[in-house]
Amino acid sequence: MSNKLGRNDPCWCGSGKKYKKCHQEFDDKISYIGSKGHIVPDHSIIKTPAQIEKIRESCKVNVAVLDYVAENLRVGMTTEEIDRMVYEKTKEMGAVPAPLNYEGYPKSVCTSINEIVCHGIPSDKVVLKDGDIINIDCSTILDGYYSDSSRMFCIGNVDPEKKKLVDVVKECVEIGLEKVQPWSFLGDMGQAVNEHAMKNGYSVVREIGGHGVGLEFHEDPWVSYVSKAGEEMLLVPGMIFTIEPMVNMGTNKVYCDKEDGWTIYTADKKPSAQWEIMVLVTETGHEVLCW
Ligand code: MF3
Ligand code: CO
C-alpha cells in the first residue's frame, strides 16, 4: 500500500476532501490486513467514483452490442458475420472493439464453439450448426475505458447434456458473485465457482482466468476459479474485475492452436462453456456492470 499522503492532503479518490476525512481509515484497514499476510490491492487497482462512471458507460455499450448479437444470431450464420455485427454496432455507438489488434488478435470479438474453450477467431468458414453451443465474448473501449463480458448461446436443438453445461456455468457465475463482498477475498468467490462445477461433475480450466478491468483491458488482479476461500486478493469497494470461469464437461486439460496462436481447445474435444461478467465491489456488496 502506498500510504504517502499527508493527513491534510487532498484524498487520492478525487473527492476534494482531506485525506484524513476521506480514505485514510480505509487505507489503514487495508494495510493492517496486508500486515497479516494477505494480498491486498494498491491504489492503482481501486477505481475512483469518476472512473467508475466512465467504465459504466463503456459497459452499457458492451451490453447493447451483446443484445444486438443475441437478437440477430441464426443457425447458418458464419462467425465472420457475428464479427461484423459486433464491429458495426460498437462503431455506431461511438466505441471501439477492444480485441481488434489487441496483441495481434485479428478480429473484433471471440466466438468459441463447442470444444473451443475461448479465444475462437471469427471466420467465414465457420458456420453455426443446429446443436452448437457458442460463447460470444465482447469487449469495448469507450473514451479510453474498458468493458468485457460474454454470454453463451444455444443454436437450435442442443442436446440436454450440453444445455446443462451451459446452465450450470451460468449458475457458477451467480454463486461466485454472491461471495463478492467488501473485505472478503477473491478466493471466496473462486472456491464457490469451483465447488458448483465439481458438484456437477465438470472441471474448471486452471491456466486461463479473469482479470481486473476498466482503465486497461487486463489489469491486476489475475482471477482464478480454482482458488481457496480466504486466499487471493482482499476485495475492497472500488475494485472491478471479471468472473469468467471456463468449465469443461470432461478433462480440465486444454491446448492452444499452434497455427493461429489464439484458439484454446479442450484436450479431450468435449464441450466447454463460459459466461463472463464484470463486477464492481461496493460499500455494501457488489454491482454487476455488464453481462
Ligand atoms: N475477452 C477476453 C477476456 O475475457 C480477452 C480476449 S483477448 C482477445 O479476457 F484478444 F482474444 F480478444
Ligand atoms: Co475477460
Side-chain angles (χ1 to χ4, degrees):
M1 199 78 202
S2 60
N3 220 340
K4 300 278 178 289
L5 278 183
R7 290 170 52 73
N8 291 311
D9 289 338
C11 188
W12 55 263
C13 78
S15 63
K17 289 193 238 169
K18 287 184 176 172
Y19 183 46
K20 66 181 178 192
K21 293 246 157 102
C22 198
H23 275 90
Q24 186 169 24
E25 221 177 287
F26 173 87
D27 284 352
D28 289 346
K29 183 170 177 181
I30 293 173
S31 297
Y32 176 75
I33 295 168
S35 76
K36 298 286 165 202
H38 288 290
I39 305 166
V40 295
D42 63 30
H43 290 163
S44 70
I45 288 178
I46 303 166
K47 273 68 182 173
T48 67
Q51 290 169 336
I52 292 167
E53 272 324 298
K54 301 291 278 183
I55 295 165
R56 219 189 275 288
E57 292 307 309
S58 178
C59 287
K60 284 183 194 161
V61 175
N62 213 56
V63 168
V65 171
L66 274 167
D67 286 347
Y68 178 69
V69 170
E71 276 164 30
N72 291 287
L73 209 55
R74 300 279 180 275
V75 64
M77 183 175 264
T78 67
T79 51
E80 176 75 28
E81 288 174 84
I82 298 171
D83 188 70
R84 203 169 315 137
M85 282 198 278
V86 169
Y87 180 81
E88 272 157 20
K89 186 69 183 171
T90 307
K91 284 288 181 178
E92 183 192 305
M93 298 189 74
V96 178
L100 192 58
N101 302 320
Y102 173 79
E103 294 187 1
Y105 188 78
K107 296 284 175 178
S108 296
V109 63
C110 298
T111 49
S112 305
I113 300 176
N114 300 331
E115 73 275 15
I116 297 183
V117 174
C118 65
H119 303 165
I121 303 175
S123 157
D124 56 11
K125 303 204 168 44
V126 177
V127 180
L128 295 185
K129 299 185 310 296
D130 186 67
D132 281 344
I133 59 171
I134 180 171
N135 174 276
I136 300 186
D137 190 343
C138 268
S139 318
T140 297
I141 314 171
L142 180 69
D143 206 10
Y145 293 84
Y146 287 77
S147 52
D148 185 10
S149 60
S150 79
R151 302 180 197 162
M152 293 297 299
F153 297 95
C154 291
I155 307 299
N157 296 305
V158 169
D159 80 49
E161 266 194 57
K162 277 163 83 175
K163 175 79 171 62
K164 183 183 165 200
L165 176 69
V166 169
D167 292 341
V168 167
V169 183
K170 191 173 190 188
E171 291 164 11
C172 285
V173 171
E174 289 161 344
I175 290 166
L177 177 64
E178 289 314 308
K179 299 287 181 184
V180 177
Q181 303 288 337
W183 316 108
S184 68
F185 294 92
L186 260 186
D188 301 350
M189 179 281 293
Q191 180 170 325
V193 167
N194 196 272
E195 281 174 355
H196 192 62
M198 298 288 284
K199 199 172 79 189
N200 283 279
Y202 302 143
S203 70
V204 178
V205 174
R206 311 183 75 89
E207 297 89 337
I208 314 160
H211 50 96
V213 54
L215 310 183
E216 302 286 344
F217 197 170
H218 297 113
E219 303 172 3
D220 284 341
W222 190 73
V223 181
S224 167
Y225 311 97
V226 291
S227 46
K228 293 275 173 286
E231 296 183 359
E232 306 293 326
M233 192 178 278
L234 174 72
L235 298 179
V236 305
M239 284 173 71
I240 298 178
F241 59 90
T242 67
I243 304 181
E244 50 171 318
M246 289 152 226
V247 177
N248 298 349
M249 200 181 277
T251 176
N252 64 359
K253 295 282 165 283
V254 299
Y255 69 93
C256 183
D257 189 309
K258 283 201 184 61
E259 309 272 282
D260 69 26
W262 283 101
T263 314
I264 307 288
Y265 296 89
T266 58
D268 58 8
K269 294 287 164 96
K270 289 191 181 167
S272 180
Q274 176 186 31
W275 293 79
E276 174 175 20
I277 64 171
M278 224 171 115
V279 59
L280 166 69
V281 184
T282 64
E283 296 290 338
T284 53
H286 55 252
E287 180 188 331
V288 176
L289 295 178
C290 64
W291 193 333

